[in-house]
Amino acid sequence: MPITRLENPRLYRQIADQLRGLIEKGEFPPGSRLPSERDLAAQMQVSRASVREALIALEVVGLVDVKVGNGVIVRHPPVAASPEPVMAQAGRGQWGELDEELGIDLDLNSELPPFSLLQTRRLIEPETAALAARYASADERAAIRAAYLRNCEDNRAGSETHPGDRLFHIRIAQASGNPAYAFIIGHLLGHRYGSMFRVLQRNYTPEDMPHRSEQEHRAILDAIEAGDAAGARRAMKAHLDAVIAVFSRQG
């Protein structure tokens, strides 16, 4: 099969465009299945996470249907499909209802890959939680608690966009006392509900994830309210590790 090894750091874009080219050449006709994530990763010598992001990008632009547990099915080409690269089409980030509420004006025209976003958050947010536990004012702690309660309400209502979840993480960053952290987390969570992340979430979120996330958020909240910086750091790290593990699991 004419699939080649890729070495560019932005692998998922390269993978998506190579697979699109093979689909357009008829190597994978409509109704056929693409090779499995494992096989594609082995042939290209890349991570399965990069392959998963590429397949999600192809689904966003309507070239495939990702059927968890049943493979990736090639669709009939969209009408008047654009010749531009896959990620030029798929990269349509979306801030949503929190933009006005938080007063953040972000340029999200270029969507970032979901696992890169999560890994960056995993690096930064444990420290924002520790700083919030140490320095948050009474008003800031109240705002974090209010965001947590909103997250709980979203879960009961079956929200698909989870504004309370995002608000919880942003309020913690804002309470860290470091405006750079607040800006970075706000920017990353603006991308959080871009088209690629929404597809990842739709296909790979287990039914109990909102409940588990709510419990993990409560552990973070409790540590911050107790002024326990080390505990807040541990709880945030454990939460983001759990999220990454869920979305990285084998389909």
Side-chain angles (χ1 to χ4, degrees):
M1 188 180 336
I3 291 177
T4 60
R5 177 178 178 175
L6 299 173
E7 297 180 350
N8 189 286
R10 308 193 80 169
L11 288 175
Y12 84 103
R13 296 189 179 201
Q14 302 280 323
I15 297 166
D17 286 326
Q18 183 178 156
L19 291 174
R20 175 178 179 164
L22 293 173
I23 290 170
E24 291 176 344
K25 291 176 182 176
E27 294 285 341
F28 301 107
S32 67
R33 283 181 170 79
L34 294 183
S36 68
E37 284 183 3
R38 177 182 288 106
D39 289 344
L40 288 171
Q43 291 178 59
M44 296 179 176
Q45 299 184 39
V46 297
S47 71
R48 288 188 64 176
S50 293
V51 171
R52 181 166 294 182
E53 287 174 337
L55 296 175
I56 288 169
L58 292 174
E59 180 166 4
V60 167
V61 298
L63 291 177
V64 304
D65 282 324
V66 177
K67 305 292 186 182
V68 179
N70 194 35
V72 179
I73 312 300
V74 178
R75 300 178 60 184
H76 287 278
V79 176
S82 169
E84 64 182 334
V86 168
M87 289 316 303
Q89 300 176 65
R92 305 290 187 259
Q94 184 175 21
W95 177 242
E97 65 268 44
L98 288 185
D99 185 21
E100 182 176 351
E101 178 175 341
L102 294 169
I104 298 174
D105 184 16
L106 299 176
D107 177 8
L108 300 180
N109 289 328
S110 177
E111 186 169 352
L112 299 176
F115 287 109
S116 294
L117 296 175
L118 287 170
Q119 289 159 0
T120 302
R121 290 180 58 196
R122 163 66 173 72
L123 180 66
I124 296 172
E125 288 198 70
E127 189 60 25
T128 70
L131 290 172
R134 188 172 294 138
Y135 298 121
S137 67
D139 286 346
E140 287 170 331
R141 291 182 182 182
I144 293 169
R145 172 170 279 276
Y148 168 76
L149 294 175
R150 180 172 175 180
N151 180 204
C152 296
E153 292 173 0
D154 292 343
N155 290 341
R156 305 300 177 271
S159 172
E160 295 183 357
T161 57
H162 306 282
D165 184 321
R166 289 176 285 155
L167 187 60
F168 178 75
H169 286 271
I170 291 169
R171 291 301 188 212
I172 290 171
Q174 290 173 331
S176 71
N178 186 326
Y181 281 155
F183 174 81
I184 291 169
I185 297 305
H187 185 67
L188 294 179
L189 287 172
H191 284 290
R192 167 85 160 78
Y193 282 86
S195 54
M196 285 183 65
F197 209 112
R198 290 197 303 273
V199 172
L200 178 69
Q201 184 182 55
R202 184 180 71 237
N203 288 340
Y204 296 98
T205 298
E207 290 185 3
D208 66 339
M209 188 173 181
H211 175 68
R212 287 160 49 189
S213 181
E214 188 176 305
Q215 291 182 314
E216 292 159 9
H217 283 176
R218 182 54 189 260
I220 298 166
L221 174 64
D222 288 346
I224 290 173
E225 291 187 330
D228 180 0
R233 184 184 289 110
R234 285 195 304 272
M236 182 66 81
K237 176 180 177 295
H239 169 53
L240 292 171
D241 282 344
V243 173
I244 291 170
V246 163
F247 289 132
S248 300
R249 77 189 195 281
Q250 296 183 7

